[in-house]
Amino acid sequence: MISKIINGKKIAKKIQKKLKKKILKRKMNKLIIPKLAVLLIGDNESSKIYIKNKKIACKKIGIISKTYTFPQKILEIDIIKKIKKLNTNKSIHGILVQLPLPKKINTLKVLREISYKKDVDGFHPLNIGLLCQRNPNLRACTPLGIMTLLKKYKIKIQGINALIIGASNIVGRPMMLELLLAGCTTTIAHRFTKNLYQYIKNADLIVIAIGKANFLKGKWIKEGAIIIDVGINRLKNGKIVGDADFNSIYKKASYITPVPGGVGPMTVTSLLKNTIYICEKYHDR
Ligand code: NAD
């Protein structure tokens, strides 16, 4: 079997085109134009690149974005003060705190301070809780992007065995909730999981997000499994690869997302979608 490659780049482009039209229509109807506040704390080089890309994507479709930068040494209390100000600022609709934060800052505490109505990343406990109760509101961007891809490719997942490898707050856990909501029988594995291979071989769908280059091998997976690769790993030669070993999986899986060009572009697209959703849900009359 040769896998069908899920082209996230193409789907993202199509969706972003529609979102751009939506914003143009809002302008014509004199509705508010979505505005996103982005908080960059510290000097993580990857964060700077991610923010740059998010800003470009916003600009392309007509979302206004404003970046607030803070030094590595900023106190937690000062970040929270800024978030509180942005929460009450009526001209700001979405707030994004770029992760990871410097070690001395309590990430969960900071994310909790963002109003759940401006929570474009979908990490607020209330939004995660709503997803857990089968009543999603703002949804975490990477899992939402993956669900959109599965839908666009008309991949039927109700009732199948889904395995999520990686249990982080930003990918694995919300991903598990999304797949559960979609009717999968879900298993979540992490660094303490024993006999990971037993779970892998029984999985019809695997979402892998562990940050380990080419970890998942074709010989471990079930024939015809759907493989969604979230990982972004830079090799010594500069090449970007995922957590799944594309070459060995390609001949065995039914579908696979490439890295780059699979999940990544969908994460940014979800962010844009969420920002517009906030305006529609909380600001339009
Ligand atoms: P993380 O480090 O916060 O979490 C990694 C998870 O993997 C943990 O739950 C850990 O227990 C688990 N894990 C590690 N080694 C394992 C092993 N050998 N077997 C089973 N589980 C193991 O990582 P994260 O923030 O969730 O990111 C994971 C990867 O996804 C990274 O490469 C990151 O760059 C990438 N990422 C990509 C996107 C995107 O849009 N494509 C978005 C977010 C993260």
Side-chain angles (χ1 to χ4, degrees):
M1 174 181 279
I2 297 285
S3 314
K4 204 165 181 185
I5 295 175
I6 298 181
N7 191 338
K9 204 172 162 186
K10 191 169 125 196
I11 300 284
K13 219 172 165 183
K14 269 192 191 167
I15 297 176
Q16 288 184 24
K17 219 169 155 187
K18 280 190 191 156
L19 296 177
K20 187 177 176 176
K21 275 190 192 153
K22 223 176 194 186
I23 292 185
L24 273 174
K25 208 166 161 194
R26 292 184 69 83
K27 271 185 191 159
M28 272 163 29
N29 292 335
K30 305 222 169 341
L31 289 169
I32 49 161
I33 301 306
K35 188 169 177 187
L36 177 66
V38 179
L39 276 66
L40 172 62
I41 299 139
D43 32 43
N44 182 310
E45 287 310 316
S46 305
S47 291
K48 286 180 193 165
I49 296 170
Y50 288 138
I51 284 195
K52 192 176 143 212
N53 291 340
K54 287 171 185 174
K55 279 183 78 80
I56 291 171
C58 282
K59 199 169 173 204
K60 239 165 126 184
I61 71 153
I63 289 177
I64 304 163
S65 71
K66 186 169 163 53
T67 306
Y68 300 85
T69 51
F70 302 93
Q72 182 82 13
K73 283 186 180 159
I74 191 170
L75 298 176
E76 191 176 282
I77 184 82
D78 292 324
I79 301 172
I80 290 175
K81 263 187 206 160
K82 183 68 199 172
I83 291 175
K84 284 190 166 153
K85 258 190 170 172
L86 292 168
N87 280 342
T88 53
N89 182 340
K90 287 206 170 87
S91 76
I92 295 288
H93 311 105
I95 303 171
L96 181 157
V97 174
Q98 184 63 43
L99 301 180
L101 295 180
K103 280 207 171 70
K104 62 177 175 39
I105 292 171
N106 182 334
T107 302
L108 290 182
K109 195 170 163 193
V110 167
L111 294 180
R112 224 172 21 233
E113 291 296 338
I114 299 173
S115 158
Y116 76 94
K117 294 181 177 178
K118 297 193 177 190
D119 175 33
V120 274
D121 261 335
F123 296 151
H124 190 282
L126 186 71
N127 285 320
I128 292 285
L130 286 168
L131 178 60
C132 188
Q133 292 177 329
R134 294 181 275 189
N135 183 25
N137 182 39
L138 283 156
R139 298 152 80 167
C141 294
T142 302
L144 175 60
I146 292 170
M147 296 314 288
T148 309
L149 280 181
L150 294 170
K151 225 181 244 168
K152 293 281 175 197
Y153 275 79
K154 298 189 170 54
I155 301 172
K156 300 242 180 311
I157 58 169
Q158 196 175 47
I160 70 172
N161 288 336
L163 171 66
I164 301 100
I165 312 178
S168 70
N169 283 344
I170 63 168
V171 186
R173 285 165 199 258
M175 190 70 239
M176 179 198 67
L177 295 172
E178 288 285 355
L179 290 170
L180 188 59
L181 180 67
C184 295
T185 302
T186 52
T187 304
I188 185 157
H190 41 73
R191 70 178 87 240
F192 304 120
T193 299
K194 289 183 181 140
N195 289 323
L196 177 64
Y197 309 107
Q198 289 300 319
Y199 297 103
I200 292 174
K201 94 175 178 208
N202 284 322
D204 304 305
L205 163 67
I206 299 175
V207 178
I208 183 158
I210 63 174
K212 299 217 159 105
N214 299 323
F215 176 88
L216 183 70
K217 306 291 181 216
K219 62 182 176 197
W220 302 338
I221 68 166
K222 199 188 216 182
E223 183 87 35
I226 304 150
I227 308 295
I228 306 292
D229 190 354
V230 181
I232 303 174
N233 309 286
R234 187 180 287 276
L235 300 180
K236 276 190 187 137
N237 62 10
K239 197 176 166 211
I240 302 282
V241 298
D243 290 345
D245 178 32
F246 189 91
N247 291 334
S248 67
I249 285 175
Y250 182 59
K251 290 192 186 113
K252 208 167 170 194
S254 55
Y255 289 91
I256 183 166
T257 57
V259 177
V263 174
M266 293 303 293
T267 298
V268 179
T269 304
S270 303
L271 170 72
L272 305 173
K273 239 188 196 175
N274 279 349
T275 311
I276 297 172
Y277 170 92
I278 290 171
C279 289
E280 289 171 342
K281 174 149 183 181
Y282 298 116
H283 300 275
D284 292 352
R285 276 149 227 276

